[in-house]
Amino acid sequence: LAPLVAGLASCSDNSADRNGDGQVDGRERAAEMANDAFIPMQAGRWDTEFTFKDIDVPSLNKAQKAKIMAKVAEGSSSSSCLTEAEAKNPGADFFGGRGADNCVYRKFDIAGQNANMTLSCNMEGMGSVEMTMRGVLGDRQFNFDTDVVMRLPIVGKVKLQGMATGRNVGKC
């Protein structure tokens, strides 16, 4: 569940997907940031934390839901180092947390400090995750409302709502 979480909010459609293939690659993200007055993030160590306020799994009781939300948040929260180059074009692994190497951006819209991103992640035999993140991205912090839909083999569709927050805490 680690590749699950994090994100961003904006007003436009998926204009960053310039070639129309349904994925926003690194070049398309860089162009979106350059075109829409993106304020580069500060290089250094970033601490990212996820908290969830709601989970939609009808078959679970309140205590079971709270346990799952805490476990997903713990597995998704992380610290990472952002180089000068990455600060200008952060990858899915930065916003998606540990293990997000199997993730692709489906949407990536930046307008100044407002961002709206959707990441789709494959969890290697354990299902898939789609995260939508909307919020404000600054040079030293970000705050995103996060909607997560996990598709798990035995359980089916699990929906989570929460927040992703990140802040630059200094040098690596």
Side-chain angles (χ1 to χ4, degrees), residues 101-117:
D101 45 335
N102 291 328
C103 297
V104 296
Y105 285 100
R106 298 286 179 206
K107 182 175 188 174
F108 190 87
D109 291 326
I110 302 284
Q113 291 185 306
N114 294 315
N116 187 351
M117 296 189 302

Side-chain angles (χ1 to χ4, degrees), residues 16-30:
D17 183 14
R18 306 251 190 308
N19 63 8
D21 68 353
Q23 296 183 16
V24 183
D25 64 27
R27 275 188 260 170
E28 291 169 323
R29 288 193 312 274

Side-chain angles (χ1 to χ4, degrees), residues 65-143:
K65 289 178 182 183
K67 186 176 180 179
I68 290 173
M69 288 188 294
K71 192 72 169 170
V72 171
E74 177 186 328
S76 301
S77 298
S78 64
S79 290
S80 59
C81 285
L82 202 60
T83 67
E84 292 287 337
E86 292 166 335
K88 295 175 185 168
N89 184 15
D93 56 338
F94 179 75
F95 292 113
R98 293 184 304 267
D101 45 335
N102 291 328
C103 297
V104 296
Y105 285 100
R106 298 286 179 206
K107 182 175 188 174
F108 190 87
D109 291 326
I110 302 284
Q113 291 185 306
N114 294 315
N116 187 351
M117 296 189 302
T118 298
L119 285 168
S120 292
C121 307
N122 180 356
M123 296 191 308
E124 295 185 24
M126 293 178 46
S128 64
V129 175
E130 184 160 300
M131 296 177 281
T132 299
M133 299 166 279
R134 297 166 305 282
V136 178
L137 174 63
D139 62 338
R140 299 191 57 82
Q141 66 182 16
F142 62 82
N143 295 295

Side-chain angles (χ1 to χ4, degrees), residues 2-88:
L4 289 198
V5 190
L8 309 159
S10 158
C11 303
S12 63
D13 62 7
N14 196 15
S15 61
D17 183 14
R18 306 251 190 308
N19 63 8
D21 68 353
Q23 296 183 16
V24 183
D25 64 27
R27 275 188 260 170
E28 291 169 323
R29 288 193 312 274
E32 176 73 4
M33 291 175 167
N35 291 339
D36 289 338
F38 172 71
I39 298 169
M41 299 171 71
Q42 192 82 41
R45 181 176 154 205
W46 282 75
D47 288 346
T48 302
E49 182 179 20
F50 293 92
T51 55
F52 294 98
K53 60 184 177 187
D54 192 28
I55 183 172
D56 180 9
V57 182
S59 61
L60 299 179
N61 66 38
K62 189 174 181 177
Q64 291 169 317
K65 289 178 182 183
K67 186 176 180 179
I68 290 173
M69 288 188 294
K71 192 72 169 170
V72 171
E74 177 186 328
S76 301
S77 298
S78 64
S79 290
S80 59
C81 285
L82 202 60
T83 67
E84 292 287 337
E86 292 166 335
K88 295 175 185 168

